[in-house]
Amino acid sequence: MFQNFRGSTSQKEDIQQYIIHHAVKKVFRIMAAMDIRTVAFPAIGAGVAGIPYAKVAKCMGEAFAEALSMTNKSYEVELYLYDRFGKMTLWDYLPFFESFAIANCYNAYSVSHVDEHFDNDYSDVIIKDAREQGKAAQIFISYSRKDKMEIKGICELLNQMNISYWIDVDGTYSGENFKTVIVEAIGNSDLVLFISSANSNASSNVAKEISLADKLKKTILPIKLDNTPYASMIEYDLVGIDYIDYIDRNPATLDKLYKSILGRLTLAKNVRSLG
């Protein structure tokens, strides 16, 4: 299919990269939905599509690193390379070993973005709503205000990352224009954080926010404060989306959250730029 593509070289490479990344992402979403922990991939696009092996290796390595950095579950991922026409040598497969070694190092590198003096005390954290600061929000936070103190650690992480976020802390936007404000805030965001808890799953407003985010095709990152199952209306929209377990709030969890937020923000912006 790519041989007949008439766009520029850069456009062709962007589409190749998007297809490989998108395919890997979809596989991991299906695995999360079915609670599958092992998977085997072929070299996506290296056959009839004619994508060069080095390009496939680089894109798949990046896609695996991205997918695995966005979860704290353990997965076993295998790659099968098949020389259908007997034309390959061992050296032709070298890019895969190099790319996957880099990806493996990336995922092994952890607890690097969190203060080593971590004490889990966020009582003095200031929650910085982007709207109050006159900024455009990159992230919309959907949560229950009953969990205000519980999410301060997440807000502090966003503060340190210098990422703007929209959050209704004290019911500031609960006036007559509430619906309009929420729709615009979600629509203008790149990423929606769903703070899952017993309180948020019992909230009809939170369910509507997640439904709207799904309808607008926003990237959603669920973060679990406790083991409460998703409410039925919310679960329907989150099928196949992996979550970050924030129950054990230690440096490793915060580092995983850091990488997940950066990864999904980058992915959301790339998808938007590709139209």
Side-chain angles (χ1 to χ4, degrees):
M1 61 179 288
F2 292 109
Q3 290 88 336
N4 298 321
F5 180 70
R6 297 180 179 276
S8 67
T9 300
S10 62
Q11 288 176 320
K12 179 177 178 179
E13 290 181 350
D14 285 344
I15 291 175
Q16 291 174 345
Q17 179 174 327
Y18 174 75
I19 288 175
I20 294 172
H21 278 242
H22 191 68
V24 172
K25 175 186 173 184
K26 286 295 184 183
V27 169
F28 275 95
R29 288 191 65 170
I30 293 172
M31 290 172 65
M34 301 180 67
D35 196 26
I36 297 173
R37 299 299 178 87
T38 61
V39 63
F41 284 91
I44 300 174
V48 177
I51 305 177
Y53 258 58
K55 178 72 172 180
V56 174
K58 181 176 183 296
C59 288
M60 290 191 73
E62 291 172 349
F64 287 165
E66 179 181 284
L68 294 173
S69 72
M70 293 181 183
T71 179
N72 42 13
K73 294 179 181 177
S74 296
Y75 288 97
E76 181 179 327
V77 181
E78 295 183 352
L79 180 70
Y80 284 83
L81 304 176
Y82 175 56
D83 183 8
R84 180 179 179 184
F85 300 105
K87 297 181 178 180
M88 307 295 290
T89 68
L90 290 178
W91 291 106
D92 293 318
Y93 297 117
L94 184 60
F96 282 95
F97 292 99
E98 293 177 333
S99 296
F100 284 85
I102 292 172
N104 184 59
C105 290
Y106 174 83
N107 282 294
Y109 179 72
S110 63
V111 199
S112 55
H113 306 100
V114 179
D115 191 340
E116 61 181 2
H117 302 298
F118 174 83
D119 60 7
N120 213 2
D121 179 10
Y122 300 107
S123 56
D124 295 330
V125 169
I126 298 175
I127 298 179
K128 302 177 180 179
D129 176 29
R131 182 163 171 149
E132 292 181 355
Q133 296 183 315
K135 296 180 179 179
Q138 296 170 270
I139 290 177
F140 179 94
I141 300 179
S142 179
Y143 81 117
S144 167
R145 288 200 298 274
K146 294 179 182 179
D147 297 322
K148 176 180 176 180
M149 296 304 297
E150 297 294 315
I151 68 164
K152 279 197 168 188
I154 298 171
C155 291
E156 174 62 9
L157 182 63
L158 295 176
N159 293 343
Q160 293 177 8
M161 295 169 71
N162 198 29
I163 293 176
S164 57
Y165 51 93
W166 193 103
I167 183 170
D168 188 2
V169 181
D170 300 311
T172 308
Y173 309 116
S174 298
E176 59 184 21
N177 65 337
F178 173 70
K179 294 181 180 179
T180 300
V181 171
I182 293 294
V183 171
E184 290 179 351
I186 294 176
N188 292 330
S189 66
D190 293 309
L191 174 65
V192 173
L193 298 186
F194 166 49
I195 312 301
S196 179
S197 69
N199 294 320
S200 62
N201 280 281
S203 169
S204 59
N205 284 331
V206 169
K208 291 175 184 176
E209 290 168 0
I210 300 304
S211 178
L212 179 60
D214 180 69
K215 179 181 178 181
L216 295 176
K217 301 186 183 304
K218 294 296 175 179
T219 300
I220 303 173
L221 173 58
I223 303 172
K224 286 200 169 188
L225 297 183
D226 56 38
N227 287 316
T228 302
Y230 294 146
S232 298
M233 289 182 63
I234 293 176
E235 183 175 16
Y236 183 86
D237 293 318
L238 298 183
V239 170
I241 299 180
D242 212 346
Y243 61 85
I244 293 295
D245 187 341
Y246 191 63
I247 300 171
D248 183 10
R249 296 161 205 183
N250 55 35
T253 297
L254 284 178
D255 191 68
K256 181 67 70 172
L257 182 55
Y258 175 99
K259 292 177 180 177
S260 296
I261 290 172
L262 277 186
R264 298 199 187 193
L265 269 179
T266 301
L267 180 62
K269 290 177 180 178
N270 286 341
V271 170
R272 177 181 289 186
S273 67
L274 288 171

